[in-house]
Amino acid sequence: MSPNLLRLLSLLMIFISLSITSSLSTPSPADSPPYLWPLPAEFSFGNETLSVDPALTLIIAGNGGGSPIVRAAFERYMGIIFKHASGRASSLLARIRFLRMVEYDITSLKIVVHSDSEELQLGVDESYTLMVSKKNEQSIVGAATIEANTVYGALRGLETFSQLCAFDYLTKSVQIYKAPWYIQDKPRFGYRGLLIDTSRHYLPIDVIKQIIESMSFAKLNVLHWHIVDEQSFPFETPTYPNLWKGAYSRWERYTVEDASEIVRFAKMRGINVMAEVDVPGHAESWGTGYPDLWPSLSCREPLDVTKNFTFDVISGILADMRKIFPFELFHLGGDEVNTDCWKNTTHVKEWLQGRNFTTKDAYKYFVLRAQQIAISKNWTPVNWEETFSSFGKDLDPRTVIQNWLVSDICQKAVAKGFRCIFSNQGYWYLDHLDVPWDKVYNTEPLNGIEDPSLQKLVIGGEVCMWGETADTSVVLQTIWPRAAAAAERMWSTREAVSKGNITLTALPRLHYFRCLLNNRGVPAAPVDNFYARRPPSGPGSCYAQ
């Protein structure tokens, strides 16, 4: 049999397999709507199906194309896209290609990055353009191209490219449906966060890394690390080494090296890490190592406002953390401060009287002094909304207010010139297990803010995975897939996510994204559970739970 006839028969078999695949009733990326999450800002597509070479070649261009961040990301995504084409299968495919029995439509991925800067800060350019087309008379090379101004835009483009690729079990090949694709994409908000809480329950390093990895799949870009709280202080602070005596145990701690590795791991995925040290409340654990931080044995929080030692410790913690966390924002907490016991502690009461302070004045004094310490370390302070509600006019004008309690706090904060992060507990607190995906999805950070100049002061939003009832055993299935609903709200245009029937426009894509997470090793819970993180109630497809 001639080589040409062999090649013709091979292509015919692939065509027959594709025809069989398209006739099956199971969900397929070839069906509508486009199975991308979050939805790109602008895109167009066709009706072709393209095959992708398992030996896909990386072509780099531009000042930043050769960045280690880009190269490492390409290798990660090739492992995701071609996880079925490994070992013997990969060798066989290479041999088939060598014999020219199969020709692939997409044989290379070109990544063009214009800037050589790898600085990752708030508002970094994450825009990208992605083009995928078959070779034709004008182009003899089948290729996909990602073009971005920064390496972080290239990362977002790689994620989208990976979602276009689907493994076909009949042809045992990776295919891209609905080609040719042209996507121009950028995020709606510069800050798209997820909070984790490692004080209420310790999360091992590998679990935090898995959370960060999963964040990159939904294009979230800030990990808000609520490291310490009243229950435990698991963080190593070299300047005050006894602080982590407040950890639950000697095995539930984070070294300086651990934290540095988390920051490095996150940066490789285009994710900033914002640390939080919540003062003056939520700090009882500090006194386990340094009892002088407690006003008294019966008044263990708020921290002692009267002593310079208290602020020396805060300064020492922040100085140590500044060597680890390069992100410009630092969270100082300031929420839920019950000052009653200050009035009943003799030396604090005398201190208040000597300054003609009320306990509210002392609360303000503490927060403002802590802010100045953070600012002296070249940080921009972030505080929970109670500080704004209690003494907003006195806060440093650089302060970023984080909403959680009152639905219109961002409206009020931006009206006073402050920047704001939206994370209303009624919708975006993931530990509220009875909040369904559609309420998360329909929540709009800019509600009530009509002036475009004020809208810009809402830098973004954040979903919060508080840890009282979540540890390693359930944290990922509590985060996902509801965090993805907020992620699309924060990435995609308001017009795209606010129009139409979301049961038709969003739910099928969210089902598909949840299955994508599962296939990537992320234990995301069923989308339609009445209570988050519960397992399925019975047999069924991943795409319909």
Side-chain angles (χ1 to χ4, degrees), residues 433-450:
L433 302 181
D434 58 348
V435 178
W437 79 271
D438 56 317
K439 286 192 175 180
V440 177
Y441 190 83
N442 282 325
T443 298
E444 172 50 50
L446 297 184
N447 268 351
I449 306 173
E450 305 301 332

Side-chain angles (χ1 to χ4, degrees), residues 398-443:
R398 290 164 282 192
T399 306
V400 178
I401 307 300
Q402 184 163 3
N403 150 253
W404 73 279
L405 268 175
V406 182
S407 60
D408 65 349
I409 205 70
C410 278
Q411 296 177 39
K412 295 176 178 177
V414 300
K416 298 294 185 181
F418 291 102
R419 289 179 292 171
C420 192
I421 298 168
F422 178 91
S423 54
N424 187 275
Q425 65 166 339
Y427 307 100
W428 283 12
Y429 267 31
L430 299 173
D431 56 312
H432 293 196
L433 302 181
D434 58 348
V435 178
W437 79 271
D438 56 317
K439 286 192 175 180
V440 177
Y441 190 83
N442 282 325
T443 298

Side-chain angles (χ1 to χ4, degrees), residues 63-80:
N63 294 329
S67 163
I69 293 176
V70 173
R71 292 182 180 275
F74 176 78
E75 293 302 322
R76 282 199 311 275
Y77 278 107
M78 292 309 98
I80 290 171

Side-chain angles (χ1 to χ4, degrees), residues 120-124 126 152 156 187 189-196 208 211-226 262-263 266-267 269-276 325-331 382 400 402 421 430 459-465 479-480 483 487 490-491:
L120 180 61
Q121 286 291 358
L122 181 65
V124 68
E126 297 172 272
Y152 305 110
R156 307 305 174 225
F189 291 107
Y191 183 110
R192 307 178 306 281
L194 167 68
L195 177 147
I196 60 170
I208 296 177
I211 291 170
I212 292 169
E213 189 86 68
S214 66
M215 289 173 64
S216 70
F217 301 153
K219 298 186 173 71
L220 294 174
N221 71 345
V222 179
L223 179 74
H224 176 174
W225 190 2
H226 189 89
I262 287 171
V263 170
K267 181 178 181 179
R269 287 148 184 82
I271 294 172
N272 277 301
V273 181
M274 178 177 69
E276 179 178 359
F325 299 101
F327 191 38
E328 66 193 71
L329 302 182
F330 188 89
H331 210 301
V382 184
V400 178
Q402 184 163 3
I421 298 168
L430 299 173
I459 62 173
E462 182 174 287
V463 284
C464 300
M465 184 62 263
I479 292 171
W480 305 107
M490 291 185 277
W491 177 278

Side-chain angles (χ1 to χ4, degrees), residues 171-187:
T171 63
K172 296 185 180 178
S173 65
V174 172
Q175 299 172 345
I176 293 178
Y177 301 93
K178 292 181 173 290
W181 282 91
Y182 179 74
I183 296 172
Q184 276 193 306
D185 201 9
K186 63 180 180 179

Side-chain angles (χ1 to χ4, degrees), residues 147-442:
E147 185 173 0
N149 290 322
T150 71
V151 294
Y152 305 110
L155 294 184
R156 307 305 174 225
L158 272 165
E159 173 57 38
T160 301
F161 177 74
S162 75
Q163 291 188 25
L164 291 178
C165 296
F167 184 75
D168 183 279
Y169 283 84
L170 292 178
T171 63
K172 296 185 180 178
S173 65
V174 172
Q175 299 172 345
I176 293 178
Y177 301 93
K178 292 181 173 290
W181 282 91
Y182 179 74
I183 296 172
Q184 276 193 306
D185 201 9
K186 63 180 180 179
R188 181 184 175 202
F189 291 107
Y191 183 110
R192 307 178 306 281
L194 167 68
L195 177 147
I196 60 170
D197 172 8
T198 57
S199 176
R200 277 53 180 260
H201 284 100
Y202 174 83
L203 296 175
I205 297 298
D206 284 348
V207 174
I208 296 177
K209 285 184 173 181
Q210 192 176 11
I211 291 170
I212 292 169
E213 189 86 68
S214 66
M215 289 173 64
S216 70
F217 301 153
K219 298 186 173 71
L220 294 174
N221 71 345
V222 179
L223 179 74
H224 176 174
W225 190 2
H226 189 89
I227 304 177
V228 302
D229 208 292
E230 62 187 56
Q231 290 83 2
S232 72
F233 196 113
F235 193 78
E236 180 183 18
T237 308
T239 304
Y240 290 94
N242 290 340
L243 280 169
W244 70 354
K245 287 185 177 180
Y248 285 124
S249 71
R250 61 190 299 181
W251 301 283
E252 295 169 290
R253 292 176 173 177
Y254 303 103
T255 65
V256 167
E257 292 78 12
D258 289 336
S260 297
E261 171 59 16
I262 287 171
V263 170
R264 185 205 66 81
F265 185 89
K267 181 178 181 179
M268 294 295 287
R269 287 148 184 82
I271 294 172
N272 277 301
V273 181
M274 178 177 69
E276 179 178 359
V277 172
D278 196 344
V279 292
H282 290 281
E284 180 179 340
S285 63
W286 299 31
T288 304
Y290 295 97
D292 282 351
L293 294 170
W294 291 332
S296 72
L297 290 177
S298 60
C299 178
R300 298 188 173 193
E301 64 179 21
L303 296 172
D304 196 325
V305 67
T306 72
K307 296 175 182 173
N308 284 328
F309 176 64
T310 300
F311 298 96
D312 290 342
V313 171
I314 292 172
S315 182
I317 294 171
L318 268 58
D320 288 343
M321 285 186 163
R322 199 60 176 113
K323 299 171 185 175
I324 301 169
F325 299 101
F327 191 38
E328 66 193 71
L329 302 182
F330 188 89
H331 210 301
L332 291 166
D335 62 313
E336 298 181 316
V337 180
N338 184 343
T339 59
D340 287 350
C341 75
W342 277 352
K343 293 184 292 187
N344 302 318
T345 304
T346 302
H347 74 275
V348 178
K349 185 177 180 179
E350 292 173 351
W351 183 88
L352 292 171
Q353 290 173 343
R355 285 161 178 75
N356 198 26
F357 273 9
T358 64
T359 52
K360 183 178 178 180
D361 293 330
Y363 166 39
K364 178 176 74 173
Y365 167 84
F366 198 118
V367 168
L368 297 184
R369 189 165 173 181
Q371 281 197 334
Q372 291 310 307
I373 293 171
I375 290 168
S376 73
K377 315 290 184 197
N378 199 30
W379 261 321
T380 297
V382 184
N383 284 99
W384 294 106
E385 68 178 64
E386 289 95 323
T387 58
F388 172 77
S389 300
S390 298
F391 41 84
K393 63 181 178 63
D394 297 309
L395 291 171
D396 188 278
R398 290 164 282 192
T399 306
V400 178
I401 307 300
Q402 184 163 3
N403 150 253
W404 73 279
L405 268 175
V406 182
S407 60
D408 65 349
I409 205 70
C410 278
Q411 296 177 39
K412 295 176 178 177
V414 300
K416 298 294 185 181
F418 291 102
R419 289 179 292 171
C420 192
I421 298 168
F422 178 91
S423 54
N424 187 275
Q425 65 166 339
Y427 307 100
W428 283 12
Y429 267 31
L430 299 173
D431 56 312
H432 293 196
L433 302 181
D434 58 348
V435 178
W437 79 271
D438 56 317
K439 286 192 175 180
V440 177
Y441 190 83
N442 282 325

